[in-house]
Amino acid sequence: MHTRQEKIEALGRIIDTLDILRVKCPWDAKQTNESLRPNTIEEVYELAQALIEGKDSEIKKELGDVLLHVLFYSKIGEEKEAFDIADVADALNSKLIFRHPHVFGETHVENAEEVTQNWEQLKLKEKDGNRSVLAGVPAALPALVKAFRVQEKAANVGFDWENPEQVWSKVSEETAEVAEAIKSGNKADIEEEFGDLIFSVVNAARLYGVNPENALEHTNRKFISRFNHVEEAAKNQGRNIRELSLEEMDALWNEAKNLK
């Protein structure tokens, strides 16, 4: 691993390279915050994929791509004389120190849960207490992630079940309401009740220490792997998957489940 000085020098090199590209490369020179934004979102998703796959070489590569965007936005800020990368780093450092009084101050905490609760309270203090508890949840977050975050933030100020077991009555209640909505045939009601059911399941996952986004992604990957096996098995039989009966597909699916 590199020394602290080597790390600083490496960051300096990429800053110098970006400075040159911003002047000499037509593509880099014309980029703005608005034009970079879609690429930034894509890069973050690619990093998320690399993290799921757990390949260190890919994680390193995608972290570099995300870092480039952080430096690029900072360079644009510098050109506008608004801020530069040093301001970004200093602001982050100050925030971390402020939000960790149990490390840099005299606050005492017993566990990670108390750290999280303190973190949310301190975030509100940064806005002089006038900020809504849920205001920090980005509106553009995917719905599943947003549901988890709003529940998490609400729980951090005490709006939560007294014990996890209580959530299952809510899940059962919402399941019954979905069934009733389906009987009514009203599409708007069906959509609303499915939303309530999904929200309650996300809440249950949170209460049992499971991140629903990660859990669902693992299930997605499992489904894709098993479905690909069914499709490949059909090809090996000289058939298209559309030609298989449901019973044949089920048999191949069960075969895939037994594969490790």
Side-chain angles (χ1 to χ4, degrees):
M1 290 291 101
H2 297 87
T3 65
R4 185 174 187 274
Q5 184 59 36
E6 288 172 335
K7 294 173 185 176
I8 293 172
E9 291 173 355
L11 287 171
R13 285 193 293 273
I14 186 59
I15 290 172
D16 291 342
T17 298
L18 181 57
D19 286 347
I20 295 170
L21 291 174
R22 186 67 172 164
V23 174
K24 295 187 176 182
C25 173
W27 187 90
D28 289 282
K30 74 175 186 179
Q31 297 310 306
T32 65
N33 287 341
E34 292 73 22
S35 67
L36 283 173
R37 180 177 175 274
N39 292 338
T40 304
I41 294 171
E42 181 178 341
E43 295 297 352
V44 171
Y45 274 107
E46 289 180 0
L47 171 59
Q49 180 63 32
L51 292 168
I52 289 171
E53 294 175 353
K55 297 178 181 178
D56 288 339
S57 60
E58 285 300 307
I59 293 173
K60 179 182 71 173
K61 171 181 174 294
E62 299 303 340
L63 281 172
D65 291 343
V66 172
L67 175 60
L68 172 60
H69 282 249
V70 173
L71 295 175
F72 216 137
Y73 291 119
S74 300
K75 179 63 179 176
I76 293 171
E78 180 180 345
E79 292 167 354
K80 294 162 57 180
E81 297 186 351
F83 61 88
D84 61 18
I85 189 60
D87 294 313
V88 172
D90 284 340
L92 173 60
N93 188 57
S94 296
K95 180 168 67 175
L96 289 175
I97 291 173
F98 177 75
R99 293 187 184 176
H100 290 81
H102 54 287
V103 176
F104 301 103
E106 298 181 356
T107 301
H108 177 73
V109 294
E110 294 291 342
N111 50 49
E113 288 71 24
E114 289 187 12
V115 173
T116 301
Q117 291 172 1
N118 286 345
W119 181 278
E120 294 297 339
Q121 295 296 329
L122 290 166
K123 286 171 71 174
L124 291 176
K125 287 183 180 180
E126 289 174 346
K127 297 295 181 179
D128 298 322
N130 293 324
R131 186 182 184 185
S132 166
V133 172
L134 302 182
V137 180
L141 276 180
L144 185 67
V145 179
K146 186 189 295 185
F148 181 74
R149 288 297 290 136
V150 299
Q151 292 170 5
E152 195 173 46
K153 284 182 173 291
N156 284 334
V157 295
F159 190 74
D160 203 2
W161 300 97
E162 292 183 357
N163 59 73
E165 291 76 15
Q166 293 174 317
V167 75
W168 296 114
S169 62
K170 185 63 175 175
V171 173
S172 298
E173 175 188 326
E174 298 298 350
T175 301
E177 290 180 3
V178 168
E180 287 298 316
I182 290 173
K183 288 179 182 178
S184 75
N186 186 304
K187 290 187 176 181
D189 288 346
I190 294 171
E191 180 180 287
E192 180 179 350
E193 297 303 339
F194 264 114
D196 290 348
L197 174 58
I198 294 168
F199 193 85
S200 67
V201 172
V202 169
N203 210 5
R206 177 188 62 82
L207 288 165
Y208 285 92
V210 174
N211 186 302
E213 173 70 18
N214 293 341
L216 184 57
E217 178 55 26
H218 290 152
T219 297
N220 286 339
R221 295 175 67 196
K222 182 169 60 177
F223 182 92
I224 290 169
S225 174
R226 291 175 181 176
F227 191 85
N228 286 344
H229 173 83
V230 174
E231 193 170 29
E232 189 63 29
K235 289 180 181 178
N236 291 338
Q237 297 175 13
R239 304 166 70 187
N240 187 292
I241 190 171
R242 295 177 179 83
E243 300 171 356
L244 299 180
S245 66
L246 181 57
E247 290 74 15
E248 289 174 314
M249 284 191 281
D250 279 342
L252 292 173
W253 180 269
N254 289 330
E255 180 181 289
K257 288 173 64 175
N258 292 326
L259 295 175
K260 299 295 183 182

